[in-house]
Amino acid sequence: VRQLRHKIEDIKNHALESALVQLRRGEDAEKVLNHFAHQLTQKILHQPTIQLRRASLEQSDEKINVVKELFDLSD
């Protein structure tokens, strides 16, 4: 859990620093926030998405079910 939180915190900090740089340059705040939210979501979900695709190709129902449980997803 600690490693996961640390990794997500690092991703957030990197995306936030990028957004702050854009705001300091005077870029439109709404555009910067939208980009920040998109970038953060993409970076957090990138590796899990790759692993889920792999699990699907390998028909690894166990991995898929764990993800569904972790994220409270339904069929």
Side-chain angles (χ1 to χ4, degrees):
V1 172
R2 193 175 307 149
Q3 285 178 314
L4 176 62
R5 288 185 174 275
H6 181 73
K7 181 174 183 132
I8 300 302
E9 191 72 21
D10 284 347
I11 290 170
K12 183 234 9 171
N13 288 338
H14 180 73
L16 181 59
E17 185 56 38
S18 177
L20 290 171
V21 167
Q22 292 173 344
L23 288 172
R24 287 183 199 121
R25 286 191 301 218
E27 295 185 32
D28 179 63
E30 185 174 344
K31 185 176 179 179
V32 171
L33 285 173
N34 281 320
H35 179 72
F36 168 77
H38 177 75
Q39 182 183 36
L40 184 62
T41 302
Q42 293 297 329
K43 287 183 181 236
I44 289 172
L45 292 177
H46 178 72
Q47 192 60 37
T49 301
I50 290 171
Q51 295 301 324
L52 276 174
R53 285 187 183 133
R54 183 175 294 141
S56 179
L57 290 173
E58 295 170 355
Q59 297 180 344
S60 179
D61 292 336
E62 185 178 347
K63 286 182 183 178
I64 293 168
N65 289 333
V66 167
V67 170
K68 284 181 177 181
E69 186 177 336
L70 284 171
F71 291 96
D72 194 25
L73 304 174
S74 59
D75 290 334

